[in-house]
Amino acid sequence: MRPPRLLYAALLTAATAALLSGCGDEGRLEIAGATPTAVGPVRLWPGLAPVTSPPNDYGETDTERVPGITVPAGGVRELDPVTVLLAEAAAKPSTFTGADDRYQETVAQLRGCEAKPASCPVLPPYYRDLTGDGQDELIVGITLPQQQTAVRCYMPDKGALIRIMATYDQLVNVELAGRDLVLRSVSAGIPGYEYRTAWSWDARQNAMLATSDEIVRVTPSPSPSPSPSATPLPSVAPRRPAAGP
C-alpha cells in the first residue's frame, strides 16, 4: 500500500492531467494580465514648518449638561423637547439669540409653543441609540429664521441630560443611517451640488463629530409638464447660508 502522502500526490497529478486534457478551450486557465503595481501615498512638501498655533475652535466637541432636566426612568422618550430647549435658553441666553439677537424670535416662539402650537419652531423629535450604549438619544430639530434648521442631540447619563451635538444650516434633508446622523445642505457656490455631512459618535470625545464631509452632485427630478390652466409660479432666488447662533 502506498503511503498516504504519495497517494495524495498521485491523485493530484491525475486530476491536473485530466483538467489540461479537456475538450476544446473550456476550462483552460488563462493569464489575466499584469497586476497593476500598488501606489502608496506620496507626501508633498515634506519641509513644511510645523504648526505652532492652535487652529480655530468651532466647538465640535462642546458638550453641556442641560440644567434643571432629569431624565425619567423610562428614558428620553418621556421628555418634552420644548422644555429641554427652554432650559438651555434660560441657562445660556445666547443659545438661540446670538450676539446680535438675530434669533430672538425663536426664543419667543419657544415660550409660546403651548399657547400657539402652530407657530412652535420645534419639529417632531426622533429617538435612536446613537452612542451604542443601548439607550435612545433625543434628536431635536428647530426651524430658525432665514431658512436655517438647527439639529441637536441629547444623551441620557445617570439621570442627567447631556447635549452631545449642536449644529445648524440650510438643511434640505436629515437621515438616520445606522448610528450616523446624515445632514444634507444646499451649496451656495456650486449649483446642482449639496454638502453631505455624517455625524458619528466618538467615545473618546464623548460627542457626536462630523466624521465625513463631502460635496455630492444632485440629480434634479424631472419637472412635470404644467397644465394649460396652471398659473406659473414666481421665480425664487437661491438660498444662501447665513451666520447663525
Side-chain angles (χ1 to χ4, degrees):
M1 179 180 294
R2 294 186 179 184
R5 185 178 301 176
L6 296 179
L7 178 59
Y8 173 77
L11 293 175
L12 180 61
T13 302
T16 304
L19 178 63
L20 296 178
S21 60
C23 298
D25 293 336
E26 295 181 1
R28 189 178 65 180
L29 300 179
E30 297 182 357
I31 298 176
T35 303
T37 304
V39 179
V42 178
R43 183 180 179 184
L44 305 183
W45 306 296
L48 289 176
V51 177
T52 56
S53 60
N56 294 330
D57 182 10
Y58 295 100
E60 298 96 333
T61 60
D62 290 350
T63 60
E64 291 185 4
R65 176 174 178 171
V66 182
I69 299 296
T70 301
V71 179
V76 296
R77 291 176 179 266
E78 298 184 9
L79 292 174
D80 177 19
V82 175
T83 302
V84 172
L85 295 174
L86 285 175
E88 283 194 299
K92 192 175 182 181
S94 62
T95 297
F96 297 105
T97 58
D100 56 359
D101 292 339
R102 183 180 305 230
Y103 297 112
Q104 187 174 4
E105 61 182 276
T106 302
V107 177
Q109 289 175 333
L110 285 173
R111 292 170 180 161
C113 279
E114 185 174 356
K116 299 178 179 179
S119 60
C120 184
V122 182
L123 302 174
Y126 286 88
Y127 309 92
R128 176 67 65 93
D129 180 10
L130 299 173
T131 65
D133 64 353
Q135 302 182 83
D136 282 338
E137 271 66 55
L138 170 63
I139 306 171
V140 181
I142 311 104
T143 58
L144 303 175
Q146 300 181 357
Q147 298 178 322
Q148 303 272 335
T149 303
V151 178
R152 294 182 167 231
C153 296
Y154 301 88
M155 175 185 72
D157 182 28
K158 300 177 182 178
L161 187 67
I162 311 297
R163 193 192 70 235
I164 58 175
M165 173 187 168
T167 188
Y168 65 94
D169 208 336
Q170 286 187 322
L171 300 179
V172 296
N173 195 5
V174 180
E175 300 172 344
L176 279 167
R179 296 210 308 263
D180 290 347
L181 197 59
V182 183
L183 276 57
R184 290 170 49 190
S185 58
V186 297
S187 172
I190 315 177
Y193 288 79
E194 292 178 352
Y195 297 111
R196 185 168 61 189
T197 306
W199 291 75
S200 309
W201 170 251
D202 188 294
R204 184 175 180 180
Q205 296 295 331
N206 289 321
M208 295 286 288
L209 299 182
T211 54
S212 175
D213 197 0
E214 57 184 345
I215 300 177
V216 294
R217 185 176 180 180
V218 180
T219 303
S221 301
S223 301
S225 301
S227 60
S229 59
T231 302
L233 297 176
S235 60
V236 179
R239 295 180 293 179
R240 299 179 180 276

